[in-house]
Amino acid sequence: MKKEDCIFCKIAHGDIPSSTIYEDDDFRIILDLGPATRGHALILPKSHYADLFELPQDMAGRVMMLAQKTASVMRDKLSCDGFNLVQNNGESAGQTVFHFHMHLIPRYENDGQNILWKPGSASGEELDIVRKQITE
Ligand code: 5GP
Ligand code: ZN
């Protein structure tokens, strides 16, 4: 997809209005239009990177710092009980907008959401094969 057609580029640059909770020269943090829970927000870099793999390392570090800071503020102001950081890459992982974004999802007791995965199982032998595949 061309950058000119990217909805998050338009939102990040302020060409499309959004409920912005933070902005600096390089980032905008907005409330998600289809919130999983009350306060669900998205950290958007203003530059277009499709996903984690395109994101420069220094930007990745800044995303994490912003996530921590914003989650702390939201915990105080929204009185949530927990917090999920979620970041999807690729269709198989549930990414629907191909402009990097980090989800900030405040969690509340009995909020009815189920964001965690279904645990599988793996033998020690399988784990060893995977470990070798990644590290060798
Ligand atoms: P993904 O599935 O790609 O990780 O997440 C995309 C997120 O963007 C979804 O949670 C969806 O609700 C949100 N979203 C999609 N379009 C818009 C929009 O135009 N404005 C806002 N604020 N959120 C959007
Ligand atoms: Zn974009």
Side-chain angles (χ1 to χ4, degrees), residues 7-8 11 16-19 30-37 40-42 103:
I7 183 143
F8 279 6
I11 291 174
I16 293 179
S18 62
S19 295
I30 64 170
L31 294 181
D32 196 297
L33 264 187
T37 64
H40 182 170
L42 304 169
H103 294 263

Side-chain angles (χ1 to χ4, degrees), residues 41-45 63-64 67 85-87 100-104:
L42 304 169
I43 301 177
L44 311 179
V63 167
M64 202 60 202
L85 297 184
V86 178
Q87 201 279 303
F100 175 93
H101 51 281
M102 169 82 83
H103 294 263
L104 304 175

Side-chain angles (χ1 to χ4, degrees), residues 125-135:
E125 193 186 348
E126 275 163 356
L127 295 182
D128 210 38
I129 291 167
V130 176
R131 179 184 61 76
K132 283 186 179 139
Q133 196 173 347
I134 295 168
T135 58

